Amino acid sequence: MSLTTAQILDLAPDPASRKAGQDQAKPAKWSGLGRAGSVIWGEIKGSGASPYRTVADLAGPTSKCTCPSRKFPCKHGLGLMLVDAAGPLGEAEPPDWVAAWIKGRESRAAAAETRASEPAKPVDEKAQVRRRQAREEKVAGALDELDLWLRDLMRRGLAAARAEPYAFWDRMAGRLVDGQAPGLARRVRALPGLVAAAPQAGAARPEAALGLALGRIALLVRAARRLDALTPDQAAGLRAALGYPVTAEEMAARSDQADDWAVLAHAIEEEDRLTARSVWLVGRRTGAVAQVLDYGTAGSPLPPAPAAGQDFSGSLAFQPGDPPLRAVFRDGRAGPAAAPGLPGGGSVAAARDAFAEVLARAPWIERWPARLAGVRLGRLPASGGAVAFAAGDATGCLPLRADPRLPSLLAVAGGRPVDLFGLHDGHGLSPLALATGGRLYAMPAQASQAVLLQVA
């Protein structure tokens, strides 16, 4: 198997790595190139006395290199994969250092399976209860303080709120972090951005967005005081929104959902000092949508994940919550897509109805994946001088959120009916992938690239 150039470039951790990887994608720079199944390898001259040894498994995809870079994949890993994308490397016997890497991966996978099959260590239930109770008390205290803060904010009015400095919001967010409610802290920390934002196409007006965000926080506070009235899945979803982690024991008890999962897109966002990567998948048989979310830092790169345009044939485990969306990878393997289309698309009206149903079950949800089939992209009537575009069909239209990659999306669509996947927030749609003419195109994982990638 091989990855496409677009899929490989989308793996780059930043624009500089992407450009440097393209510079390394010249076969003449490499020696000892070869492949064994999905594993490829080669050596390339660097700044040191010895050439760097680079190996990659395209099925992960993942890679390793002896260069000193802490980026993942490094420019040599990207370059090696790009060399293979330009012309598949020939089959060969893996050299010792490649064989050792393959064996090490197999050993670690076997050890992980062994650990998973071992009986769980005895749990100190009393200590666990004490820790749980201590956290509940801290969160309850944080909710009380947040409720008082919200009431004071509403008494003074939104106009006064818009005049508050950043420190006003950050101070409350910090208290929520101390109160072990990081989910609420993230929402409060996003408020000043809504206050300062300029009006954008496909988005609520800044004052409406601020009021809506505050309303969702207030709903979370009220719902948290009525956990006993919620179903177990609703309560789990609410606790996740507050910032409670899902424990390993809870995930171990979740059942697998097997399917051929089409990987539609990757999206990377910065959250405080963390890099959050969402991998969006749709089950070809079940039609279920899943979001696999991983966090990384500069010192701990993100784990390997199937590239956009591939299929992950295997199982996901969904976290508890209503409606279900967050999931983790379990057993399976990435490979070429069975079909480049977008599974399970529907009309604009169906997407709106689906979002309304989600809000009825969990009104604090900020956005939800939408799949549209056979929509056309076009320009909306001018309003206030701002140029706006939308995706529409006979049942209505959804405005598209302003994005530097939107011109590429419109150019690829070319006025033809297309299938579109994106995130709907009740006002507009943030596109992530587009299918047309038997091909799948994905938005680059990082918004700095004003292009669209053909991934399948």
Side-chain angles (χ1 to χ4, degrees):
M1 66 170 292
S2 294
L3 299 176
T4 66
T5 299
Q7 288 173 328
I8 296 164
L9 293 178
D10 205 31
L11 299 174
D14 52 49
S17 298
R18 189 176 303 113
K19 184 176 184 309
Q22 290 173 301
D23 292 340
Q24 307 301 314
K26 299 178 177 64
K29 288 188 172 185
W30 293 83
S31 62
L33 291 167
R35 136 190 313 267
S38 62
V39 177
I40 58 175
W41 63 85
E43 298 185 27
I44 188 167
K45 184 76 174 69
S47 56
S50 302
Y52 298 135
R53 291 174 166 178
T54 310
V55 58
D57 185 348
L58 301 175
T62 185
S63 64
K64 182 177 176 59
C65 183
T66 57
C67 76
S69 173
R70 299 183 67 181
K71 294 181 179 179
F72 182 83
C74 68
K75 62 181 182 181
H76 305 111
L78 292 168
L80 176 64
M81 289 188 275
L82 288 170
V83 168
D84 179 72
L89 303 179
E91 291 284 340
E93 186 68 23
D96 293 344
W97 58 275
V98 174
W101 183 75
I102 296 173
K103 187 176 180 180
R105 294 188 73 214
E106 291 174 345
S107 298
R108 286 192 291 275
E113 287 184 10
T114 303
R115 284 196 300 273
S117 61
E118 289 175 348
K121 294 180 180 177
V123 176
D124 185 343
E125 294 186 358
K126 290 184 178 178
Q128 199 174 50
V129 169
R130 284 197 299 272
R131 287 195 297 273
R132 188 182 303 127
Q133 187 172 0
R135 176 158 193 171
E136 297 287 355
E137 290 173 358
K138 275 195 166 186
V139 172
L143 289 174
D144 287 342
E145 191 168 355
L146 178 60
D147 192 23
L148 186 62
W149 184 81
L150 284 172
R151 290 174 186 276
D152 181 60
L153 201 61
M154 290 302 97
R155 188 167 51 252
R156 292 187 289 119
L158 288 181
R162 298 191 66 184
E164 295 289 356
Y166 177 79
F168 169 78
W169 312 95
D170 190 52
R171 190 161 47 246
M172 188 66 237
R175 290 182 180 179
L176 291 169
V177 171
D178 293 341
Q180 296 190 300
L184 285 171
R186 178 190 64 79
R187 289 172 182 255
V188 170
R189 198 161 274 139
L191 294 175
L194 299 177
V195 171
Q200 286 188 342
R205 290 178 290 106
E207 57 270 26
L210 176 62
L212 187 58
L214 288 168
R216 285 175 174 146
I217 294 173
L219 280 170
L220 270 172
V221 173
R222 291 197 175 192
R225 299 189 190 286
R226 302 182 59 202
L227 272 176
D228 294 342
L230 303 180
T231 66
D233 274 345
Q234 285 178 321
L238 172 65
R239 291 170 69 84
L242 295 179
Y244 281 89
V246 180
T247 65
E249 292 79 9
E250 288 176 295
M251 285 309 298
R254 305 293 293 178
S255 59
D256 290 354
Q257 187 160 331
D259 206 332
D260 292 326
W261 298 93
V263 184
L264 298 180
H266 288 196
I268 291 180
E269 296 177 322
E270 299 298 326
E271 293 186 7
D272 295 331
R273 296 179 182 178
L274 299 176
T275 299
R277 181 193 63 196
S278 292
V279 181
W280 292 98
L281 309 101
V282 176
R284 293 192 182 277
R285 295 193 298 273
T286 61
V289 182
Q291 177 193 23
V292 177
L293 184 58
D294 290 302
Y295 290 94
T297 64
S300 61
L302 293 161
Q310 288 188 309
D311 273 7
F312 176 75
S313 299
S315 302
L316 301 182
F318 281 82
Q319 294 184 3
D322 181 33
L325 182 64
R326 286 277 302 276
V328 297
F329 289 112
R330 281 195 171 159
D331 296 333
R333 188 172 180 81
L342 177 62
S347 67
V348 169
R352 284 188 165 137
D353 289 345
F355 188 64
E357 183 184 347
V358 165
L359 288 184
R361 294 156 69 179
W364 43 83
I365 283 180
E366 296 166 305
R367 53 188 184 174
W368 194 254
R371 288 170 288 172
L372 304 176
V375 294
R376 292 182 187 273
L377 309 186
R379 187 170 175 173
L380 288 172
S383 175
V387 178
F389 297 91
D393 60 15
T395 66
C397 72
L398 289 178
L400 301 178
R401 293 204 65 153
D403 190 298
R405 302 163 296 185
L406 205 51
S408 297
L409 192 82
L410 295 163
V412 170
R416 300 182 296 271
V418 298
D419 296 344
L420 199 60
F421 173 77
L423 301 179
H424 180 38
D425 64 0
H427 292 274
L429 184 78
S430 299
L432 291 174
L434 176 147
T436 181
R439 294 175 178 173
L440 178 67
Y441 299 84
M443 291 285 197
Q446 301 183 56
S448 56
Q449 284 180 279
V451 297
L452 203 63
L453 303 175
Q454 181 188 331
V455 293

